[in-house]
Amino acid sequence: MKIVIASDHGGLRLKNEIALELARAGHAVDDLGTKTDASTDYPDFAHAVAKLVGGGSVARGILVCGTGIGMSIAANRHPGVRAVVCSDTYTARLSRDHNDSNILCIGERVVGPGLAWEIVSTWLAEPASTNERHVRRRTKIEL
Ligand code: RB5
């Protein structure tokens, strides 16, 4: 699967580890940065990934910052984006099943690399439910 990924400085290490694991698992990873420890502004990276995912050119995106929160707030300003912050595998799975989430946001200061990879793997593997009630509710998300 093609996956676009990015982080600010607060998510750099975890973003690099996730990108490496994704490539090892056979995914095509497009890393939009950041590439150094220099302080950056998380919305710049959130908007870059959200434009691609919301615009339909890439199906899934992953954003990492200190908490995942700023990234998700900024990404969700884009039409077509359903970004979620997950710190556990249950919400990662349900965010796909019920909500068809297309951007996963993770906090480097919140979860360790082992759990982060479990969350990413779970999120990538889970299909979106085609149940009528879930499809209807998802349709109502867009304004
Ligand atoms: C950067 O210090 C930090 O604010 C950022 O990584 C993120 O946690 C924002 O939501």
Side-chain angles (χ1 to χ4, degrees), residues 36-104:
T36 74
D37 278 329
S39 183
T40 55
D41 298 337
Y42 61 82
D44 296 339
F45 298 94
H47 291 314
V49 166
K51 266 182 205 157
L52 294 173
V53 175
S57 55
V58 184
R60 303 279 198 102
I62 296 174
L63 288 164
V64 188
C65 64
T67 59
I69 295 168
M71 289 293 199
S72 68
I73 292 170
N76 276 319
R77 302 299 300 269
H78 292 250
V81 165
R82 291 174 301 282
V84 290
V85 189
C86 294
S87 307
D88 63 88
T89 56
Y90 180 76
T91 53
R93 187 172 65 74
L94 269 293
S95 82
R96 289 287 309 139
D97 181 27
H98 290 192
N99 315 113
D100 192 15
S101 61
N102 51 15
I103 295 183
L104 173 65

